[in-house]
């Protein structure tokens, strides 16, 4: 196992926040959030999502960072070091599986984003709403192309990881994140001033309370919150292990959560107003293709739309890559730490396995009928992966993490780690209650009622 000196720490607090935010901000915010809002009935989903972020995910973010920084190890090793001779290391194994599972569908969508850089830049995405939608359908029905694009994303991610972890991530994220924020703001301003935007804003902001207690909606909101914040699978735990002892964990956690949530909300302000400005738009009908159908129409309303479109998909691809890097790093670090594999071997083997699991997702949007409408599931393979990993695996990982910190390692030791070198821990009494009682009970209730209502 590498010592602290060999593992390195972040260049600065800003560097850590950028890297962790780089993991958090990605397709989850710009593709996942609007898609889920569309399927979850609009504003009511947004409301439940925000409650999940504040009451469940923020405390678990602190918990993951604390475990990582205390143990200075990747997930499996960290659980084992804090609670030796128990089975808690299995939580780390769940994270390793979730990392591979999520990466498998994630790299398919990121591959679409790569292709759309080209399509947007060359003006292939013009025409009315129907043409743009038909273009997406034809594109994703091309199986070999989807598989090749998935391989481009996985290959790039693997190349970065063979070279070591942070040095690159910190630098790239520092440039990409501000650029993405500015571009999203410009797009949001354009979107809310389109004719028909008011209807979209109402859909996005005025909750239909009749779905407030729909277990499927609540489960999807919880899963989306975990997915978007990179929680429940040890990614943040791993980043925490690189966080300096003098840094404030609470400040870092709040920054990452605030940035990530702001970016997701901003994406909603782009997609729904521009979606509703299109005749006959139904946000619940589009599925994974929602943003690819709506955004080209928005770019077309901007002067220099082709350039905007290409710039948008470039930034989205980079944002996705800073996330795929953290997704792949969890299983890779596991095989390096626990099985003592050399880094290149670990990267090559994990990437190959992920690629094989990714193939059905790449074929699930029209290329192969079986994967596109899974008999008996009423959904496509890719959407099924989202449900399995985001809605179930991540929240279960988060639940176990909360129980571990709250009851096994115990909150006073975690608090001690947070307060090292005089770092403040505002709201620590509230945090203790949330992590011991509220997080486990709420997650368990949501998962059980989702299963029962299936
Ligand atoms: N949070 C990332 C996104 O929103 C995805 C991710 C999930 C990354 C889990 C790492 C771990 O795009």
């Amino acid at each position: 196992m590498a010592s602290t000196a060999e593992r390195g720490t972040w260049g600065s607090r800003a560097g850590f926040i950028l890297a962790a935010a780089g993991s958090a901000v990605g397709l989850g915010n710009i593709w996942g959030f609007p898609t889920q809002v569309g399927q979850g009935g609009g504003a009511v989903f947004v409301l439940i999502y925000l409650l999940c972020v504040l009451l469940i995910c923020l405390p678990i973010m602190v918990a993951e960072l604390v475990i990582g920084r205390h143990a200075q190890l990747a997930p499996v090793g960290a659980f084992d070091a804090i609670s030796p001779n128990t089975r808690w290391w299995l939580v780390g194994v769940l994270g390793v599986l979730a990392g591979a599972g999520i990466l498998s569908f994630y790299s398919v969508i990121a591959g679409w984003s790569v292709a759309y850089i080209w399509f947007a830049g060359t003006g292939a995405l013009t025409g009315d709403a129907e043409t743009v939608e038909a273009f997406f359908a034809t594109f994703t029905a091309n199986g070999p192309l989807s598989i090749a694009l998935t391989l481009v994303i996985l290959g790039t991610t693997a190349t970065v990881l063979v070279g070591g972890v942070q040095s690159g991530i910190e630098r790239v994220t520092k440039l990409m994140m501000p650029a993405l924020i500015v571009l999203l703001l410009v797009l949001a301003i354009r979107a809310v001033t389109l004719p028909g935007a008011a209807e979209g804003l109402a859909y996005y902001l005025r909750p239909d309370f009749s779905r407030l207690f729909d277990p499927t909606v609540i489960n999807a909101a919880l899963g989306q919150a975990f997915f978007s914040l990179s929680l429940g699978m040890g990614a943040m735990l791993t980043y925490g292990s690189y966080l300096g002892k003098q840094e404030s964990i609470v400040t870092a956690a709040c920054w990452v959560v605030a940035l990530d949530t702001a970016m997701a909300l901003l994406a909603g302000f782009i997609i729904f107003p521009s979606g509703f400005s299109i005749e006959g738009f139904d946000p619940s009908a589009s599925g994974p293709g929602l943003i690819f159908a709506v955004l080209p129409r928005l770019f077309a309303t901007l002067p220099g739309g082709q350039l905007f479109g290409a710039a948008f998909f470039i930034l989205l691809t980079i944002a996705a890559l800073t996330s795929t890097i953290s997704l792949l790093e969890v299983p890779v670090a596991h095989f390096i730490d626990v099985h003592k594999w050399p880094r290149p071997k670990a990267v090559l083997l994990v990437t190959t396995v992920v690629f094989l699991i990714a193939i059905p997702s790449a074929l699930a949007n029209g290329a192969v009928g079986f994967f596109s409408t899974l008999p008996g599931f009423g959904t496509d393979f890719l959407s099924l992966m989202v449900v399995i990993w985001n809605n179930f695996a991540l929240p279960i990982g988060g639940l176990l993490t909360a129980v571990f910190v709250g009851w096994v390692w115990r909150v006073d030791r975690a608090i001690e780690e947070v307060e090292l070198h005089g770092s403040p821990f505002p709201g620590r009494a509230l945090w203790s209650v949330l992590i011991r009682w509220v997080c486990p009970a709420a997650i368990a209730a949501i998962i059980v009622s989702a299963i029962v209502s299936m």
Side-chain angles (χ1 to χ4, degrees), residues 147-356:
I147 292 176
L149 289 164
T150 306
L151 202 54
V152 169
I153 293 292
L154 286 175
T156 312
T157 310
T159 310
V160 174
L161 279 199
V162 171
V165 208
Q166 324 88 326
S167 56
I169 310 180
E170 226 177 292
R171 236 176 309 132
V172 172
T173 315
K174 214 176 258 175
L175 295 173
M176 178 275 297
M177 199 71 77
L180 186 60
I181 294 176
V182 171
L183 188 63
L184 291 180
L185 278 172
V186 172
L187 293 178
I189 291 168
R190 174 69 261 218
V192 298
T193 51
L194 286 172
E199 203 191 327
L201 286 174
Y203 173 82
Y204 186 44
L205 298 175
R206 231 179 279 138
D208 159 15
F209 287 107
S210 69
R211 297 192 71 179
L212 191 55
F213 300 106
D214 180 339
T216 321
V217 175
I218 301 177
N219 183 221
L222 180 71
Q224 173 61 27
F226 270 95
F227 172 59
S228 188
L229 292 165
S230 305
L231 284 180
M233 54 152 285
M236 285 299 162
L237 191 157
T238 307
Y239 276 146
S241 74
Y242 294 106
L243 189 60
K245 289 282 184 193
Q246 70 294 339
E247 302 295 353
S248 162
I249 287 178
V250 179
T251 312
C254 288
W255 265 109
V256 175
V257 169
L259 251 174
D260 186 77
T261 308
M263 303 279 257
L265 291 175
L266 201 51
F269 277 107
I270 297 170
I271 298 297
F272 295 106
S274 31
F276 277 87
S277 76
I278 300 168
E279 192 97 21
F281 172 70
D282 177 2
S284 64
S286 314
L290 176 68
I291 72 162
F292 296 93
V294 168
L295 284 172
R297 299 293 303 145
L298 174 64
F299 300 140
T301 68
L302 284 158
Q306 268 169 251
L307 213 67
F308 263 104
F312 174 85
F313 285 111
I314 289 174
L315 289 172
L316 183 61
T317 304
I318 299 174
L321 283 171
T322 55
S323 301
T324 54
I325 289 165
S326 68
L327 280 162
L328 187 59
E329 176 64 13
V330 171
V332 164
H334 170 74
F335 287 106
I336 296 174
D337 281 3
V338 177
H339 301 281
K340 306 282 177 266
W341 289 3
R343 179 168 272 272
K345 176 182 171 189
V347 171
L348 189 68
L349 274 157
V350 176
T351 310
T352 306
V353 171
V354 171
F355 174 63
L356 294 176

